[in-house]
Amino acid sequence: TAVSHGLWLNAPDYDAPTQLLKPQERNTRYLDVSVTVPFGVMYPMCSMNVAFARTLIGPAFMQGLMGVGQPWGRYDDMFAGWASKIVADHINYGIKSGQPYIRHNKASNPFVNLRKEYMGIWWQEDIIRYMKDFKFPSNIESALHAYRYLAMKLKDTFSGMHEYFDRLSRAMLIWTDLWEKSQSGEIEFIPSRRSKPDVGARFAPINLGERSRLPHRPGLQLKLTKEDEDLFLRLGITQNERIVTDEDIVLGHTFKTYMYPLGSKFNLDVLERYIETFNCITKTCSMQQMQFLPDHWTDYEAEVPILRKLLASLHFVQNPEEADVFLVPALAVTASNHRWISEDGKVKKVGCRNGGMCQDSWYKSLLSKLTHFSETSKPHIFLGSQDATENHPELTKIMRKKNSIAVTYGPEGIVVPSLNTAEHLQPKRWKQTVFEDRTTFVMAIFGYKGAHGTDRHKIQEQLLAYTGTKKVTNKGGMDKDKIPLWLAEEGYLELRHSIFNMCPAGHLPYQKRLFDTLLSGTIPVVIKRVNEKGESRHYEPPAKLWRDKTEPYDTSISASYPDVGTAWSEFLVELDAEVLNEENGIMKALESITEEEIRTKLAKIEKNRNLFLYDYSGTSSDAFSVMLKNIAKRLATQS
């Protein structure tokens, strides 16, 4: 066999006119077979999933000239397939098509493709007909000489159609000259991916043994149980959207992961129960849809996209002894989070997110399944996307063990941002407001009920008393049952057109408001204090905590915010707590900040804002990418 042409699932690799006729068509049928393309029959080769034998067909396997300055596009692999097929037929080599499969997750834009293809749509009729009828002299017995002969004949036949074919013919002859020099030993081909000694570990093979199997994503080597198959499929890992970047996959393959086979009780069942009335968790939602969600519906659900992205990027192994790290695929917050159910024709709220005590048996059952936790010092990754002290007491206790990597909103552990699934904030849709178009100087949007409201009361009082020339939007003290202003369209537009937004602390060190502000491209303003260790913090524990705590808080900035590789002071404005007791102290401090300083912070936010959200299309580094880097850093320090 000279060429092995693999196929693909999901989005077909159609030409532009067919794409436009069949925009929703997807291939979901996997056949574990290969067939030989019959002698004299052409086939539409796609280079996304193809391998060729260099010694047999290499000199005749050149991609057609494409790119800037060329008159047609997207026909490079088609031309290679036509030319190599007639050469292979002549010298009696076989070409197979079928398995192994890959997933083609994102079809390219058909309108862009049409501009690239339109010349080829006309030319291919003549070229294919010419190729099918082409005859080589009987004395040509090698791929090199056959391809050289074809190059000269193509020039003779098609140079009158377009000058491109002169260039193509010259390129084909140069290609054969290089192969001839290689075969004589004058030059040597060195595969670039073999130039690094760790390539085998970083780029694990997809196919193991003689026959391939359907992977769920690049590099997956896990023979899945039926329950694990369901976990991948029902979480959308094999659907038509890409959810992680190539860099995430490469990093996720630098260590080996064993995933506990927990069963759907600990992930799929609780997720599907949670989203049966509302979603906006496994998918993004419009601004209008977000306005109708229950209070805090998405806030504490970051563990869902994190688990999906972990499944799509890690290198899994079957044997726990081979693993560098263990993944516990349990949605601990989702299991106890407040959700809405229909009962007797009424919709009511149930759940116990703060402490998870209503799910005692669920948590105890989960912990009983972690059979390797006490037997190994290897780290275990736990998901608990809320303030760490708000998780179930037993889970909180185990998350604080030395061999735990707790992914939470802080304090401590691997801190990640809260979840915001608004479509307009996703990287593909986002465009930051320029400084000149910011019409509001400072906003204040928050409630102030409860013991944590002292700072908020003082902020509102000062902003209400302000009589200067700057525009101030003060919505502090808003009623709890009203739609948050930053979710309403007018509030969102004003927030992204504001320079500053006040972000006073709430019940906990974590506060979603800060991340929403950064995602809107606006500078958060926080109140800074210094704790007994001399560390800066943006949180002042109230006299009465949200609920009784058996462990003290670490309220330092490093424990409360994600480690994004940049000092948080570069994104924020930190006001000393003393300004709250000074007349007009807040506005005096903010008005003293120079335009240059403001522009610098806005530019820093624009550059880094994607690190504070979860990109559902996998097009850019995001909060998950930061988390994965911090996990890899943790593993490196322990090895």
Side-chain angles (χ1 to χ4, degrees):
T1 300
V3 178
S4 174
H5 179 242
L7 299 180
W8 51 95
L9 293 172
N10 204 29
D13 189 34
Y14 282 145
D15 57 77
T18 310
Q19 276 184 283
L20 293 169
L21 286 173
K22 303 179 178 181
Q24 301 300 321
E25 182 171 322
R26 295 294 183 268
N27 177 32
T28 59
R29 190 180 182 193
Y30 171 69
L31 300 176
D32 196 15
V33 297
S34 288
V35 297
T36 299
V37 183
F39 181 92
V41 174
M42 308 298 282
Y43 74 110
M45 192 198 83
C46 172
S47 60
M48 285 193 298
N49 185 19
V50 68
F52 63 94
R54 287 184 291 167
T55 55
L56 299 181
I57 202 71
F61 200 87
M62 185 194 88
Q63 304 284 293
L65 295 180
M66 298 292 129
V68 177
Q70 307 299 349
W72 64 345
R74 288 172 48 83
Y75 274 89
D76 45 346
D77 47 3
M78 297 288 286
F79 175 82
W82 301 330
S84 60
K85 181 58 168 66
I86 65 173
V87 171
D89 283 351
H90 173 69
I91 52 183
N92 294 317
Y93 290 152
I95 290 181
K96 294 184 180 297
S97 187
Q99 61 89 12
Y101 282 62
I102 61 169
R103 286 193 58 77
H104 185 205
N105 282 341
K106 183 180 179 182
S108 47
N109 187 307
F111 298 101
V112 174
N113 292 345
L114 189 59
R115 290 197 297 270
K116 296 178 180 179
E117 294 173 4
Y118 78 96
M119 292 293 285
I121 292 172
W122 296 103
W123 289 353
Q124 68 179 353
E125 302 301 322
D126 293 328
I127 296 171
I128 293 173
R129 190 178 301 110
Y130 177 79
M131 293 282 196
K132 287 190 65 175
D133 296 335
F134 193 86
K135 302 296 181 183
F136 291 96
S138 58
N139 63 338
I140 291 181
E141 299 178 349
S142 72
L144 187 146
H145 291 101
Y147 199 65
R148 188 171 283 166
Y149 181 82
L150 175 62
M152 293 185 291
K153 291 298 181 181
L154 280 174
K155 178 180 180 180
D156 293 342
T157 305
F158 291 103
S159 60
M161 179 185 295
H162 197 281
E163 64 176 356
Y164 166 82
F165 291 98
D166 284 337
R167 298 199 299 272
L168 176 62
S169 176
R170 290 197 300 273
M172 293 167 69
L173 293 175
I174 292 172
W175 177 262
T176 57
D177 288 343
L178 292 173
W179 277 93
E180 195 167 41
K181 290 179 179 179
S182 171
Q183 291 172 350
S184 67
E186 187 176 343
I187 62 175
E188 180 182 2
F189 294 141
I190 302 176
S192 59
R193 293 181 81 178
R194 293 292 181 188
S195 62
K196 296 182 178 180
D198 63 342
V199 68
R202 294 177 60 221
F203 301 95
I206 293 176
N207 302 323
L208 307 176
E210 294 181 0
R211 300 183 72 78
S212 69
R213 62 179 302 284
L214 173 62
H216 287 278
R217 57 170 210 305
L220 181 65
Q221 297 186 23
L222 184 63
K223 291 183 179 178
L224 299 173
T225 64
K226 179 64 169 66
E227 285 187 333
D228 285 334
E229 287 277 3
D230 285 344
L231 178 60
F232 278 83
L233 293 170
R234 288 162 65 189
L235 281 177
I237 307 306
T238 62
Q239 298 306 311
N240 60 0
E241 284 193 48
R242 176 178 180 170
I243 61 173
V244 293
T245 66
D246 291 340
E247 291 77 11
D248 293 335
I249 293 173
V250 171
L251 182 57
H253 279 59
T254 59
F255 50 88
K256 298 177 181 178
T257 304
Y258 175 79
M259 181 171 67
Y260 277 96
L262 298 180
S264 61
K265 171 183 176 181
F266 297 97
N267 38 62
L268 294 170
D269 293 351
V270 296
L271 173 61
E272 291 178 356
R273 185 172 69 237
Y274 185 76
I275 65 175
E276 63 184 354
T277 307
F278 303 95
N279 194 342
C280 297
I281 303 296
T282 61
K283 63 186 180 100
T284 58
C285 284
S286 68
M287 191 180 302
Q288 289 71 29
Q289 291 171 314
M290 298 289 286
Q291 292 181 29
F292 292 99
L293 294 177
D295 190 33
H296 298 304
W297 185 256
T298 65
D299 298 2
Y300 303 101
E301 289 297 314
E303 61 186 15
V304 175
I306 287 173
L307 179 57
R308 294 181 71 224
K309 285 170 174 278
L310 285 170
L311 295 178
S313 57
L314 297 182
H315 174 193
F316 291 104
V317 294
Q318 293 175 273
N319 185 353
E321 294 183 1
E322 296 178 13
D324 301 307
V325 64
F326 289 71
L327 172 63
V328 182
L331 298 175
V333 177
T334 307
S336 56
N337 205 354
H338 302 294
R339 63 188 187 280
W340 294 78
I341 63 171
S342 298
E343 192 175 90
D344 300 329
K346 298 181 180 179
V347 178
K348 69 175 185 177
K349 186 177 182 180
V350 299
C352 57
R353 177 182 60 77
N354 308 105
M357 303 306 290
C358 64
Q359 294 288 344
D360 263 353
S361 60
W362 187 91
Y363 285 102
K364 289 176 182 177
S365 178
L366 168 63
L367 298 181
S368 71
K369 288 181 171 290
L370 306 183
T371 53
H372 303 284
F373 186 74
S374 60
E375 301 172 358
T376 178
S377 61
K378 293 179 179 178
H380 282 53
I381 300 174
F382 292 91
L383 305 178
S385 53
Q386 60 179 337
D387 183 283
T389 62
E390 297 299 299
N391 283 306
H392 189 276
E394 292 301 315
L395 187 61
T396 300
K397 189 183 301 181
I398 204 170
M399 282 179 166
R400 288 183 168 179
K401 300 288 186 182
K402 287 185 178 180
N403 61 333
S404 289
I405 298 178
V407 176
T408 75
Y409 293 170
E412 304 168 341
I414 303 291
V415 184
V416 296
S418 53
L419 178 63
N420 189 326
T421 56
E423 287 178 356
H424 59 270
L425 297 178
Q426 288 287 298
K428 282 187 173 181
R429 299 279 300 274
W430 175 253
K431 185 177 181 181
Q432 181 148 317
T433 305
V434 298
F435 176 81
E436 289 75 14
D437 290 342
R438 294 177 183 263
T439 54
T440 299
F441 185 69
V442 62
M443 293 187 72
I445 314 173
F446 46 76
Y448 54 70
K449 295 179 180 180
H452 65 288
T454 303
D455 286 359
R456 301 184 178 199
H457 278 287
K458 292 180 178 180
I459 290 170
Q460 188 191 28
E461 289 171 358
Q462 285 202 21
L463 296 184
L464 285 173
Y466 175 70
T467 58
T469 59
K470 304 289 187 184
K471 180 180 178 181
V472 174
T473 298
N474 184 9
K475 297 292 182 179
M478 56 180 283
D479 293 335
K480 183 179 179 182
D481 295 332
K482 289 184 179 179
I483 296 172
L485 186 61
W486 55 87
L487 287 183
E489 185 169 3
E490 66 275 14
Y492 159 69
L493 291 174
E494 185 164 4
L495 180 57
R496 68 174 297 181
H497 285 81
S498 179
I499 295 174
F500 301 110
N501 185 40
M502 299 300 300
C503 294
H507 296 293
L508 306 168
Y510 147 77
Q511 53 166 314
K512 182 177 185 290
R513 182 177 300 99
L514 184 140
F515 297 113
D516 288 333
T517 301
L518 289 168
L519 294 183
S520 298
T522 299
I523 302 171
V525 180
V526 298
I527 305 302
K528 183 180 74 171
R529 291 178 170 88
V530 177
N531 64 16
E532 60 279 1
K533 297 179 183 179
E535 300 168 323
S536 293
R537 65 185 182 190
H538 300 155
Y539 172 72
E540 180 70 6
K544 179 174 172 50
L545 294 174
W546 181 249
R547 64 184 183 86
D548 291 337
K549 307 295 178 186
T550 57
E551 299 285 346
Y553 274 112
D554 177 358
T555 57
S556 64
I557 293 173
S558 60
S560 303
Y561 295 152
D563 178 8
V564 295
T566 301
W568 275 81
S569 58
E570 297 190 34
F571 304 122
L572 315 174
V573 167
E574 299 175 303
L575 300 183
D576 290 331
E578 287 76 10
V579 303
L580 298 178
N581 301 315
E582 299 172 5
E583 184 179 355
N584 201 29
I586 294 172
M587 290 303 292
K588 285 180 180 178
L590 294 181
E591 288 178 311
S592 70
I593 301 173
T594 67
E595 180 179 323
E596 182 181 0
E597 291 175 299
I598 292 173
R599 287 180 180 272
T600 299
K601 286 187 184 293
L602 291 174
K604 185 68 69 172
I605 291 172
E606 182 176 20
K607 181 179 179 181
N608 292 277
R609 72 170 294 277
N610 291 349
L611 304 183
F612 307 116
L613 59 69
Y614 302 89
D615 180 8
Y616 274 55
S617 63
T619 57
S620 64
S621 294
D622 63 353
F624 171 80
S625 307
V626 172
M627 182 207 78
L628 195 60
K629 288 177 183 177
N630 287 323
I631 289 177
K633 190 187 304 182
R634 167 87 176 266
L635 294 176
T637 60
Q638 293 187 342
S639 60

